[in-house]
């Protein structure tokens, strides 16, 4: 993932943004981890509407600070 490779540079140039992106990625990962089944994840059709919305909201929350990544490291 691009963030992982750019994280040290971002931490140097904009530590607040680095922290915000890391926090949002962790939130998405926690939601995904809650949907684990065996070696994979539940399929979309096994998720409730609330679970789908929660995942969607978390990804949307991540996209806003992530959109600032390129400008911060260039």
């Amino acid at each position: 993932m691009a963030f992982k490779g750019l994280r040290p540079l971002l931490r140097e140039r904009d530590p607040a943004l680095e922290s915000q992106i890391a926090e949002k990625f962790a939130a998405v990962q926690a939601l995904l981890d809650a949907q684990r089944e065996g070696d994979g994840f539940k399929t979309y059709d096994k998720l409730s509407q609330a679970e789908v919305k929660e995942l969607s909201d978390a990804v949307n929350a991540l996209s806003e600070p992530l959109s600032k990544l390129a400008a911060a490291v260039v």
Side-chain angles (χ1 to χ4, degrees):
M1 116 172 82
F3 174 63
K4 190 173 186 175
L6 293 172
R7 194 170 185 181
L9 180 60
L10 181 60
R11 187 178 298 128
E12 179 183 308
R13 294 199 179 167
D14 192 337
L17 182 60
E18 183 272 332
S19 178
Q20 186 179 22
I21 292 172
E23 178 183 308
K24 302 296 183 189
F25 263 120
V28 170
Q29 188 62 56
L31 291 173
L32 288 172
D33 288 343
Q35 302 307 326
R36 287 201 181 272
E37 264 188 358
D39 291 339
F41 297 92
K42 290 181 189 175
T43 58
Y44 183 84
D45 62 321
K46 291 184 181 177
L47 298 176
S48 70
Q49 288 293 330
E51 291 168 327
V52 170
K53 179 162 179 17
E54 191 174 26
L55 282 164
S56 175
D57 289 347
V59 169
N60 286 337
L62 171 61
S63 69
E64 193 275 324
L66 202 55
S67 71
K68 299 175 182 175
L69 178 62
V73 295
V74 172

